[in-house]
Amino acid sequence: GAGVSQSPSNKVTEKGKDVELRCDPISGHTALYWYRQSLGQGLEFLIYFQGNSAPDKSGLPSDRFSAERTGGSVSTLTIQRTQQEDSAVYLCASSPQVNEQFFGPGTRLTVL
Amino acid sequence: QQQVKQSPQSLIVQKGGISIINCAYENTAFDYFPWYQQFPGKGPALLIAIRPDVSEKKEGRFTISFNKSAKQFSLHIMDSQPGDSATYFCAASQRRGSTLGRLYFGRGTQLTVWP
């Protein structure tokens, strides 16, 4: 079946602009995660959605970052007033249960 | 603070050799330890995972060894092949508590297998 999909695959933007990154999880997966992968770094947790529960936003690095998940499926990560340090690969993962996470291909964001 | 520490940062192995990557953790509440494999331009793919009630898990050429008392776990790749060349990440999470399901990753090991 189809895996996790993310769009766009690449995004180049100018400093100060807002960007939206989209994640389509695997159908039926109740949990959805966003991570950020910077050059030479591991994966950094950003936010976690589980069913209808309030999301765990503890990993968001600043209030410029927000995310929503509509209808328990598609999720959008929004970065406002982008900065150069936001340049990274943003990865989405979904899970049918706790722990086992399946990752999408990521969105490579470049802020000029 | 890095919750999971991974070494080495890079590893070069000859075809047919054994690749060994090590990880250590501090949080004793962690109870799930996966390894992910990532090829350039792709997202990480789950390779193998272990829970702390067993000391070893084997799937094909891949084996996780787990030492609960030392809070360490390692990935062994037997008969390493050029196609195994990738970046490997260890991770840890807990099934209960406020950080439910959140994966804490090591910084990764870039494995190169020479033919």
Side-chain angles (χ1 to χ4, degrees), chain A residues 101 103, chain B residues 34-38 44-47 87-89 103 105:
Chain A
Q101 297 179 26
F103 283 81
Chain B
W35 284 89
Y36 282 84
Q37 179 189 56
Q38 186 177 32
L46 180 63
L47 194 60
T87 301
Y88 293 80
F89 293 94
L103 285 170
F105 284 88

Side-chain angles (χ1 to χ4, degrees), chain B residues 36-109:
Chain B
Y36 282 84
Q37 179 189 56
Q38 186 177 32
F39 293 104
K42 305 291 186 182
L46 180 63
L47 194 60
I48 186 173
I50 197 169
R51 301 200 189 278
D53 51 347
V54 297
S55 60
E56 186 175 282
K57 182 174 182 180
K58 183 176 181 179
E59 290 185 1
R61 296 185 293 109
F62 301 91
T63 300
I64 298 180
S65 296
F66 184 81
N67 186 329
K68 188 174 181 178
S69 61
K71 294 185 286 186
Q72 295 175 346
F73 58 110
S74 60
L75 176 69
H76 295 233
I77 305 175
M78 311 300 287
D79 187 26
S80 299
Q81 299 297 310
D84 297 332
S85 298
T87 301
Y88 293 80
F89 293 94
C90 62
S93 71
Q94 55 187 93
R95 288 175 289 174
R96 295 180 180 84
S98 61
T99 63
L100 181 68
R102 168 181 175 174
L103 285 170
Y104 295 85
F105 284 88
R107 292 195 183 275
T109 296

Side-chain angles (χ1 to χ4, degrees), chain A residues 12-92:
Chain A
V12 179
T13 190
E14 293 180 348
K15 178 182 174 181
K17 295 287 181 67
D18 298 352
V19 296
E20 285 189 353
L21 313 179
R22 177 186 169 107
C23 172
D24 285 85
I26 294 172
S27 177
H29 283 193
T30 58
L32 187 147
Y33 304 79
W34 284 96
Y35 293 86
R36 177 169 70 175
Q37 185 173 25
S38 303
L39 186 64
Q41 302 294 312
L43 285 81
E44 172 191 14
F45 167 81
L46 297 177
I47 188 168
Y48 160 50
F49 296 90
Q50 172 63 52
N52 295 320
S53 303
D56 174 2
K57 304 179 182 180
S58 60
L60 295 178
S62 78
D63 58 8
R64 297 186 295 104
F65 288 72
S66 63
E68 63 178 18
R69 189 179 184 191
T70 54
S73 182
V74 172
S75 177
T76 302
L77 176 69
T78 301
I79 308 173
Q80 296 179 309
R81 304 180 303 281
T82 52
Q83 304 294 312
Q84 288 183 332
E85 61 262 29
D86 299 334
S87 295
V89 176
Y90 289 82
L91 291 156
C92 173

